[in-house]
Amino acid sequence: MKTTKRILYCCDLMGVDLLDHIIIGDGEFISIFENDFIMREDMEINDFNE
């Protein structure tokens, strides 16, 4: 989740909307946002330093 938070932070700095972060492995995939591992609405600037 730390990597996703950093990507989201960087996108925010550049004014780019991050639509999703999809992790692919072993023939399967998972969507970070669709599975509510990270809620965009709950993200605060302090969360990115964790």
Side-chain angles (χ1 to χ4, degrees):
M1 298 308 131
K2 188 174 185 177
T3 301
T4 302
K5 288 180 180 182
R6 287 182 178 184
I7 293 169
L8 186 58
Y9 177 71
C10 291
C11 287
D12 188 53
L13 286 175
M14 295 184 292
V16 174
D17 291 330
L18 180 64
L19 301 178
D20 204 344
H21 184 191
I22 298 174
I23 300 178
I24 303 169
D26 196 28
E28 298 181 14
F29 70 92
I30 190 162
S31 163
I32 296 296
F33 294 126
E34 283 185 16
N35 289 290
D36 296 330
F37 290 117
I38 296 177
M39 302 287 291
R40 282 191 209 113
E41 301 83 30
D42 296 334
M43 295 298 294
E44 295 182 7
I45 196 73
N46 296 330
D47 293 337
F48 298 113
N49 295 321
E50 295 177 356

